[in-house]
Amino acid sequence: MKLPAPKAIISVTAHWEEPQVTVSTAPKPGMLYDYYGFPDEAYQVVYPAPGDPALAQRVLQLLAAAGIPAAADAARGFDHGTFVPLLLTYPEAKIPVVQMSLVKGLDPRLHSAIGTALAPLRDEGVLILGSGLSFHNMGVFMRGMGGGTGVQKFKPSEAFDAWLGEAATQRRGAARNEALAAWAKAPGGRESHPREEHLLPLMVVAGAAGEDAGATDFNDWLMGARVSGFVFGA
């Protein structure tokens, strides 16, 4: 699904956790290569999109109004949870980007509430991007890295993907948020997310969606696991 170009982007990245919600305020964010063991080329990628200090302050104001503690970070650069998807989606790097952290403890209801607080930004032309993954079990991925047709499909991922798709697209508002908050009890939940940081960006986006419907935008097998992407209100 092709989305219209937004005025600005908030990237909720699975690769940044803080004691409270933290937003990047740098006007010209640098790069944060938060990975290791890759070819040299992986450390030469540059995504020179501008930051948006005014939008960052707007985010902080909305969170404060909702009673959610938040902080600013003027130093953090774009991590790969931000620059990889945006390099593929908006390669011209002209749209301002504000990066936002998860909150340590990874409470799904808190992250839904964060999204709800940010919902007014959608009417201001801001895209709220949840950058994580619907399945994130590195042991399974490592086994599937050989590629080819002989990769064994991890059945719990299929069960969880079906549950997640139903929860994200067949319910709305508070009912959707509560369904997603119970992800660990879903079929294949913990097998798909031994640690849930890659699932939490979805909670923020779903919270911001309010009563708007969700739709499955992507669904495929990745290194033996079933994965999906979702879009709301498009």
Side-chain angles (χ1 to χ4, degrees):
M1 182 181 297
K2 184 175 178 58
L3 297 173
K7 293 180 180 178
I9 298 168
I10 295 174
S11 173
V12 185
T13 170
H15 297 275
W16 187 15
E17 297 176 33
E18 295 288 350
Q20 56 189 359
V21 191
T22 304
V23 297
S24 61
T25 59
K28 295 181 179 180
M31 300 294 291
L32 176 59
Y33 302 111
D34 54 337
Y35 42 74
Y36 58 91
F38 289 86
D40 290 344
E41 291 81 0
Y43 305 93
Q44 298 169 9
V45 176
V46 176
Y47 192 73
D52 192 332
L55 175 59
Q57 290 302 317
R58 173 88 169 116
V59 169
L60 292 170
Q61 291 167 0
L62 288 170
L63 292 170
I68 299 172
D73 187 323
R76 187 178 175 90
F78 294 143
D79 64 47
H80 78 275
T82 295
F83 70 75
V84 170
L86 291 183
L87 187 62
L88 295 171
T89 308
Y90 301 109
E92 67 283 354
K94 294 181 179 179
I95 301 171
V97 179
V98 169
Q99 195 167 241
M100 192 171 82
S101 77
L102 301 179
V103 180
K104 290 182 178 180
L106 304 179
D107 180 351
R109 290 180 177 84
L110 172 58
H111 286 82
S112 293
I114 291 167
T116 300
L118 301 184
L121 297 175
R122 298 175 60 215
D123 294 329
E124 299 170 19
V126 177
L127 170 65
I128 303 174
L129 170 69
S131 179
L133 198 58
S134 64
F135 175 93
H136 196 259
N137 182 325
M138 291 305 296
V140 174
F141 282 150
M142 293 298 288
R143 291 195 296 271
M145 283 183 68
T149 58
V151 175
Q152 184 176 359
K153 294 179 178 179
F154 187 60
K155 290 297 184 181
S157 74
E158 197 165 13
F160 183 69
D161 188 77
W163 175 88
L164 188 63
E166 191 279 335
T169 66
Q170 300 304 310
R171 310 184 197 196
R172 303 187 186 197
R176 178 172 57 213
N177 295 344
E178 280 302 305
L180 291 173
W183 71 272
K185 298 180 180 178
R190 273 297 174 194
E191 294 95 331
S192 298
H193 290 276
R195 189 174 187 275
E196 59 266 38
E197 80 285 349
H198 273 71
L199 190 60
L200 268 293
L202 173 62
M203 311 297 181
V204 178
V205 173
E211 296 298 324
D212 283 351
T216 301
D217 187 47
F218 173 83
N219 184 257
D220 206 346
W221 289 94
L222 172 67
M223 294 185 290
R226 195 71 178 172
V227 296
S228 289
F230 305 99
V231 64
F232 297 89

